[in-house]
Amino acid sequence: MNGNKAYYPARGRVILHVDMNAFYCSVHAAEEPDKYKGKPTAVAGSVEQRKGIVVTASYEARGRGVKTGMLVGQALQKCPNIIVIRPDFHLYRKYSSAFMNIAYSYTPLLQATSIDECYLDITGSSQFGTPLEIAADLQRRIQDELGLPCSVGIAPNKLLAKMASDMKKPNGISILRIRDVPRLLWDQPCGQLFGIGSKTAAKLREMGIRTIGQLAAADEARLKARFGIQGSWLKQAANGTDHSLVEPDHEPNKSIGHTTTLPADIQDQEDIRRVMLNLSDQVCRRMRRQKLMSRTVQITIRTPDMKTITRSKALSVPTETTEEVYHEACALYDRHWAGKGPVRLLGVTLQNLLPRDEAAVQLDLFDYGRQPQKEQLNEVIDQLRDKFGESALLTAGMLGNDPSVLIRNHKIRGTSLQRDGQRFTQEEEPM
């Protein structure tokens, strides 16, 4: 995309820290919105006994004085109408896996640090946009697909990305550059610097070092004499320096999905198919970027009364093509929902993914001759979109019923697109 060089310096890194907001309470609100959404809630280890500890509280409860670590009895005194929920860690793990999968679709360099937060190294992900665009898209998708709020920090290293994600909650996006550290952090107490606990902060106060700025200016030899090798880290961190790498989890991506909340409820077949085609196109393109193929197609349908259903089908042959995913998604919709009423949200998810070079593509005689052309068409279309943007090429089916390929915004020099015997050749120049 134009302008990415300004955001991806040749020797710099771009790190995101994704922090789910009030995760446990948000999961329950997403799972049962009629019971919990917009209400003061708390998840506590012991609901029946008033001595239980609040594990987390919704922002509605926090606004009334309820805090993590507070006794349930104290929480009830602060907020008499608070709803106390028993923990459901199986449910939390399910939603955690889902939001990690969304994050993983932007980069394989993902490090999960807990059930509700992770780091992403997006230095090499400029094909998805600028860092701010990636953060906004990631945040929006987590909200649209899972119903969960999150805050995202953008920075040149993990330390500052973590500090940035804490700046705006809930649903915030913050950028913290090294040059911003003196202005934004140095007046804060040392205990506000990520990695400094209460005991270390107390020892620093004993040394007359109370603010992050004072720590940044402190004599390193003096710090090392008191804290050992950690003294060097303390001074570096106060100056915004952190050389630690994002250490990716090597578990393969198990699914790639995309949902869209519609601007108005729809049930017309042509409208449904247009949305399904757009969703299929997006998930297949993301899957091909990761050189994966899918063995299962799943659709998600949400009705105006917020009822959500999912239906899936295992494929006899793994696929990476929009056409095949779109066909299966429409067939699932027709079989399980067509004629039953309007829908508010639609989604397409590709599951049981496997690396393309490991996929034993069992082509039947009909597909054998067409497969090279399909792969070539996908490759050319992906290359053009990488160069000119997602809207440079659309299937006409996204605009109407014609499934042919449309070229928009640019003409493409020296490139031939062939599909079902139709060839498109264009010259590169602004239209």
Side-chain angles (χ1 to χ4, degrees):
M1 293 181 63
N2 294 335
N4 281 345
K5 291 182 180 179
Y7 292 89
Y8 291 90
R11 297 182 181 179
R13 291 186 297 155
V14 183
I15 309 299
L16 302 186
H17 182 260
V18 182
D19 190 358
M20 307 304 294
N21 302 146
F23 182 59
Y24 296 166
C25 290
S26 296
V27 166
H28 288 289
E31 190 76 4
E32 299 181 87
D34 290 343
K35 290 177 64 175
Y36 303 122
K37 189 173 183 179
K39 300 176 182 178
T41 61
V43 172
S46 178
V47 176
E48 291 82 6
Q49 300 177 19
R50 295 299 173 95
K51 297 179 181 179
I53 300 295
V54 172
V55 177
T56 190
S58 68
Y59 282 89
E60 291 80 7
R62 295 180 192 188
R64 302 179 190 181
V66 179
K67 298 179 180 180
T68 299
M70 183 178 283
L71 293 174
V72 171
Q74 294 174 317
L76 287 167
Q77 290 177 354
K78 295 281 187 181
C79 181
N81 64 333
I82 193 170
I83 304 171
V84 183
I85 308 168
R86 185 185 302 277
D88 185 344
F89 290 100
H90 173 75
L91 186 64
Y92 306 149
R93 285 190 291 269
K94 171 185 170 183
Y95 274 82
S96 176
S97 176
F99 96 76
M100 296 282 184
N101 269 325
I102 293 173
Y104 191 83
S105 68
Y106 295 90
T107 174
L109 300 177
L110 181 151
Q111 179 183 355
T113 55
S114 69
I115 196 171
D116 63 347
E117 60 182 301
C118 64
Y119 292 101
L120 302 173
D121 187 331
I122 61 167
T123 309
S125 301
S126 58
Q127 69 270 28
F128 296 104
T130 67
L132 189 59
E133 289 169 342
I134 292 174
D137 191 55
L138 172 60
Q139 185 186 68
R140 177 192 58 76
R141 286 185 55 206
I142 291 173
Q143 179 65 58
D144 287 352
E145 297 178 27
L146 305 177
L148 300 179
C150 69
S151 295
V152 184
I154 308 170
N157 58 53
K158 291 166 65 176
L159 170 69
L160 295 184
K162 169 65 176 176
M163 297 288 291
S165 69
D166 287 335
M167 288 181 172
K168 296 178 184 177
K169 290 186 175 182
N171 281 318
I173 297 177
S174 302
I175 300 174
L176 182 57
R177 306 172 182 86
I178 290 179
R179 66 173 181 265
D180 299 326
V181 168
R183 176 173 57 89
L184 297 178
L185 299 185
W186 278 4
D187 287 339
Q188 297 185 29
C190 289
Q192 294 298 310
L193 185 64
F194 178 66
I196 294 184
S198 58
K199 292 182 179 179
T200 300
K203 292 178 181 178
L204 288 169
R205 286 195 297 271
E206 292 173 1
M207 299 172 65
I209 301 172
R210 298 181 177 277
T211 68
I212 296 175
Q214 290 173 336
L215 178 58
D219 180 69
E220 185 172 347
R222 184 176 175 228
L223 292 171
K224 290 177 70 175
R226 181 66 185 269
F227 298 100
I229 190 64
Q230 186 191 13
S232 296
W233 177 87
L234 288 169
K235 183 176 177 67
Q236 291 178 5
N239 283 282
T241 302
D242 175 24
H243 300 295
S244 62
L245 300 177
V246 173
E247 300 175 0
D249 302 319
H250 296 290
E251 181 180 354
N253 198 5
K254 294 180 180 179
S255 69
I256 293 176
H258 196 80
T259 64
T260 182
T261 301
L262 304 164
D265 299 340
I266 63 172
Q267 58 182 335
D268 181 78
Q269 185 181 54
E270 183 177 336
D271 292 336
I272 295 293
R273 274 162 166 60
R274 188 176 298 118
V275 174
M276 286 295 192
L277 179 57
N278 185 45
L279 292 169
S280 300
D281 177 65
Q282 291 188 57
V283 294
C284 285
R285 177 148 160 73
R286 285 165 46 205
M287 181 174 65
R288 290 194 297 269
R289 281 195 185 109
Q290 299 182 46
K291 295 180 170 54
L292 298 171
M293 299 186 79
S294 171
R295 290 175 288 194
T296 302
V297 175
Q298 175 183 284
I299 66 168
T300 301
I301 300 166
R302 185 172 298 159
T303 64
D305 61 359
M306 301 305 289
K307 176 184 178 182
T308 302
I309 68 168
T310 59
R311 296 293 184 269
S312 62
K313 180 182 178 182
L315 306 177
S316 58
V317 177
T319 187
E320 62 176 4
T321 69
T322 296
E323 181 181 2
E324 292 167 357
V325 170
Y326 168 67
H327 174 78
E328 296 298 341
C330 289
L332 284 167
Y333 182 90
D334 290 344
R335 186 178 311 127
H336 297 288
W337 191 256
K340 294 185 178 180
V343 297
R344 168 176 290 187
L345 173 147
L346 287 171
V348 173
T349 301
L350 305 179
Q351 301 174 324
N352 294 322
L353 305 181
L354 72 165
R356 182 192 296 160
D357 56 4
E358 295 179 13
V361 182
Q362 304 164 357
L363 300 174
D364 59 32
L365 292 177
F366 177 76
D367 278 337
Y368 181 80
R370 298 176 59 196
Q371 189 66 17
Q373 285 82 8
K374 289 181 180 179
E375 293 177 355
Q376 185 180 25
L377 177 63
N378 286 332
E379 182 178 355
V380 171
I381 289 176
D382 288 342
Q383 288 174 353
L384 296 178
R385 281 173 153 180
D386 286 342
K387 184 174 183 180
F388 295 104
E390 293 299 318
S391 62
L393 283 161
L394 298 176
T395 62
M398 295 176 189
L399 306 175
N401 292 320
D402 184 356
S404 61
V405 174
L406 288 180
I407 297 178
R408 303 181 64 193
N409 299 332
H410 292 81
K411 296 182 180 179
I412 313 301
R413 176 185 296 126
T415 300
S416 294
L417 302 181
Q418 184 169 355
R419 186 181 188 278
D420 296 335
Q422 296 179 343
R423 183 177 295 274
F424 304 83
T425 304
Q426 300 288 343
E427 298 295 320
E428 181 183 4
E429 63 181 17
M431 293 188 72

